[in-house]
Amino acid sequence: MPRRRASRPSAWLAVALVAVVLAGGAAGARPNRPVLHEPVRPDPAEDLAMHVALDGELPAALRTSSGVVGAPDPRELPRPSEASYGVAADADGFTPDRDTKRPDVSGYDDPFTPSTAPFKRLSAFDAVRSDFRLYVRDERHVDVPSSALQGPDDDPFYVDLVADIEPSRGVRIPSVAAGARIVRAHLAVGAEDVPMRVKRDGADNWFLEAYRPKGPVRARLVMEVVAPRGAFGGALADPSWSDLPRPAALPENVAREAALVRSAVGVSRKMRPRAAVTKLVEYFRGFVDSEDAPRGRGSIYLDLALSKKGVCRHRAFAFLVTALGMGIPTRMVMNEAHAWVEVYDGVLWRRIDLGGAGRMTGQASEAMAPRTTYEAPPDGLPWPAGALRGGDLVTGSRGAAGGNEASSEGTTRASASSEANDGSEPAAQAQTPDPLAPPSPETSDERPASTIALSVAAGDAHSGQPLFVKGDVRAAGDGCPRVAVELWLRAAGTRKAFRLGTLATGEDGAFAGGVVVPVEMPLGDYDVIARTLGDARCGAGGGD
């Protein structure tokens, strides 16, 4: 069962061509006799109705609030270009900074289906040191709660990620929301299971621990998880101050400065907690990004909070300090693309986005291509005009990629299955005729155009098997490091194109790896296409 995620290109670029034959049998064979066996395209709706299960008793499909979605393949071997989570990705604290310019986000991995981007919970903090560095108050690791059944107020998700595991060391992995629970989990290298467990700390950070690995292991973790729908937003409860647990106390110097900010915002414990949180959200959503770093008060917290300058991480940091000073249980949560806060309202830890989103670029923008998306409940709190919300990161990227046309992956794949029986290309991946045709010249692009040298390891490719390629990307004679290279197949006759996946160049501009050919690809002759959008130095382009 192949990994099935559709994505679309975000630009039209010149490309390099190498001939390849997509074969269903012996190398070089052409279908000149009746086909006795053809792969049956997976149908999540059928899998759901028949209660099909995969390794680890994972269901082959889930019915989510966004529609029916198919499961990731728990036996899929990690690809060389695939993002991974490892010990080196661990983060034990957050130090605030004064760079309040709107950032460009160049990398984001989204392991959840339906997609919650850009709100992947990767690092959460709930306490402040005297130097304003954030940390986790309770670092003890306990088992993540399990859940045999999905509750009426829960939403289900698949998790699909690659972990680089080392003996006796935990791996920080993302969670979908505060209070999420594991229904089923499976860690494996291909067909070889790896015993494991998932732990969490006091701020609900998740850690994967494998049993008895003999050495470093690169494995795939696939899970079915559920999370309270209210954790993603919705109306706050209205507790009294005595209903709330006491958060970590602030150091004396931090507490003094938090009192100054509370006075400037106009909040106090004379208000009910919900009213105070509403007022704080309104204030910190009013921040603006700025080229001029805030200074002058001798404290990074006061400079940020009182100047109202900053992007997502500055807003979340200053909100956390201010809210903790009032006795409101609060966390700052962040990942490689965005930061926000979670507030405990006496019932649930609820996500609150404070805005300050950056711009998705390169591989990060590509990761936000059309796919099944999770629709969170509205938070019900006001936004100032022109605010850049976290969701704008995704909306802009998906719009550039052609929009989120499918209401769910299950629906898209089911319709493609019925249309593919006539021998045409799979509807879920087919594009308009010749989508890789060179674009009209971009006179505003001052970057030197990139050229791609591409070679294929073999002249024959087999459906469901990896196609191995290598090459390099250069611009103005120099290698282009860390740029994304899209790989496509284009039918020799119809000129229809099918996206295979993406590799990334190394520091010298070279790339190499394997991309799996979808099992539903029709037999025939194809050209292998490579292209790149480039980066800040290297322009878009291609070549042989």
Side-chain angles (χ1 to χ4, degrees):
M1 189 182 78
R3 182 187 181 99
R4 307 183 294 275
R5 285 182 179 167
S7 56
R8 297 182 184 277
S10 58
W12 308 79
L13 301 174
V15 295
L17 306 181
V18 176
V20 65
V21 176
L22 184 63
R30 299 300 299 273
N32 55 6
R33 57 184 181 275
V35 177
L36 301 180
H37 301 87
E38 290 187 5
V40 177
R41 186 176 179 81
D43 185 340
E46 288 184 358
D47 291 343
L48 186 68
M50 298 176 66
H51 304 286
V52 177
L54 308 177
D55 292 1
E57 296 303 313
L58 289 160
L62 287 176
R63 185 179 302 280
T64 74
S65 59
S66 303
V68 177
V69 296
D73 182 2
R75 292 193 177 190
E76 181 182 2
L77 289 170
R79 300 183 301 277
S81 60
E82 198 165 4
S84 64
Y85 297 85
V87 175
D90 201 359
D92 59 1
F94 170 80
T95 301
D97 65 272
R98 299 177 187 271
D99 184 3
T100 55
K101 300 186 296 294
R102 187 183 180 193
D104 289 331
V105 179
S106 59
Y108 186 82
D109 172 64
D110 187 3
F112 304 120
T113 303
S115 168
T116 63
F119 295 104
K120 173 181 62 178
R121 291 186 86 259
L122 189 56
S123 298
F125 309 100
D126 61 359
V128 189
R129 301 193 189 280
S130 60
D131 61 357
F132 289 100
R133 180 173 172 82
L134 306 186
Y135 68 101
V136 176
R137 179 186 185 186
D138 184 356
E139 295 182 333
R140 293 173 298 175
H141 289 187
V142 299
D143 290 333
V144 169
S146 60
S147 179
L149 297 173
Q150 176 184 334
D153 298 322
D154 291 334
D155 280 339
F157 297 85
Y158 283 119
V159 182
D160 178 21
L161 59 87
V162 173
D164 290 315
I165 301 167
E166 296 182 15
S168 304
R169 303 189 69 181
V171 173
R172 181 184 292 264
I173 61 173
S175 61
V176 71
R181 310 183 307 281
I182 297 174
V183 181
R184 297 174 183 86
H186 185 73
L187 181 68
V189 181
E192 182 180 353
D193 295 352
V194 180
M196 49 75 71
R197 61 185 177 184
V198 181
K199 299 277 194 174
R200 67 173 183 178
D201 63 18
D204 213 357
N205 294 296
W206 285 22
F207 302 88
L208 172 66
E209 297 179 0
Y211 295 122
R212 302 182 302 277
K214 297 179 181 179
V217 175
R218 185 175 172 89
R220 181 173 301 280
L221 174 65
V222 177
M223 297 189 290
E224 176 192 359
V225 301
V226 293
R229 181 164 177 77
F232 299 93
L236 296 170
D238 190 17
S240 65
W241 290 103
S242 61
D243 293 330
L244 298 179
R246 186 179 299 275
L250 296 179
E252 184 178 349
N253 65 309
V254 178
R256 285 197 304 269
E257 295 185 9
L260 294 176
V261 174
R262 291 200 305 274
S263 177
V265 176
V267 293
S268 73
R269 287 180 66 94
K270 294 180 180 180
M271 310 166 68
R272 291 184 67 85
R274 184 170 67 178
V277 170
T278 301
K279 186 75 172 179
L280 288 174
V281 170
E282 180 182 6
Y283 181 85
F284 286 98
R285 281 180 174 174
F287 274 38
V288 294
D289 58 273
S290 174
E291 296 285 335
D292 299 321
R295 298 184 184 279
R297 295 176 175 87
S299 162
I300 190 168
Y301 165 62
L302 291 179
D303 286 340
L304 291 170
L306 298 181
S307 71
K308 299 188 71 172
K309 290 182 179 180
V311 293
C312 58
R313 66 184 182 275
H314 306 107
R315 303 173 191 212
F317 159 75
F319 183 105
L320 170 74
V321 176
T322 310
L324 289 179
M326 290 192 69
I328 300 172
T330 307
R331 297 168 178 159
M332 174 179 173
V333 189
M334 60 189 303
N335 57 46
E336 64 268 40
H338 194 46
W340 61 97
V341 295
E342 290 173 349
V343 171
Y344 185 71
D345 65 357
V347 179
L348 292 170
W349 283 97
R350 297 188 188 271
R351 182 178 80 195
I352 299 178
D353 180 24
L354 300 174
R359 308 176 188 87
M360 286 285 192
T361 62
Q363 289 174 287
S365 180
E366 183 177 311
M368 298 298 99
R371 55 180 295 187
T372 303
T373 57
Y374 176 72
E375 294 295 331
D379 60 26
L381 299 172
W383 282 93
L388 293 170
R389 313 180 190 197
D392 293 336
L393 278 165
V394 179
T395 302
S397 298
R398 285 182 175 139
N404 192 2
E405 300 176 358
S407 60
S408 76
E409 290 177 308
T411 301
T412 301
R413 288 195 291 267
S415 63
S417 177
S418 63
E419 295 172 5
N421 290 333
D422 62 1
S424 63
E425 67 282 353
Q429 301 218 16
Q431 310 297 319
T432 54
D434 200 10
L436 303 177
S440 57
E442 291 283 352
T443 57
S444 61
D445 192 349
E446 298 180 355
R447 302 173 300 170
S450 295
T451 59
I452 301 178
L454 175 69
S455 63
V456 180
D460 298 328
H462 297 266
S463 59
Q465 299 296 319
L467 174 67
F468 293 98
V469 300
K470 64 180 180 178
D472 60 60
V473 181
R474 308 186 73 81
D478 296 323
C480 297
R482 301 181 300 280
V483 299
V485 179
E486 295 180 0
L487 296 170
W488 295 65
L489 288 180
R490 182 166 60 187
T494 65
R495 310 291 286 176
K496 299 276 186 169
F498 307 85
R499 175 131 173 231
L500 291 179
T502 304
L503 298 177
T505 63
E507 294 297 326
D508 58 354
F511 63 90
V515 284
V516 176
V517 178
V519 295
E520 65 267 24
M521 288 290 295
L523 304 181
D525 294 334
Y526 292 83
D527 295 325
V528 179
I529 311 296
R531 72 176 190 177
T532 181
L533 297 175
D535 60 6
R537 186 183 69 81
C538 301
D544 29 75

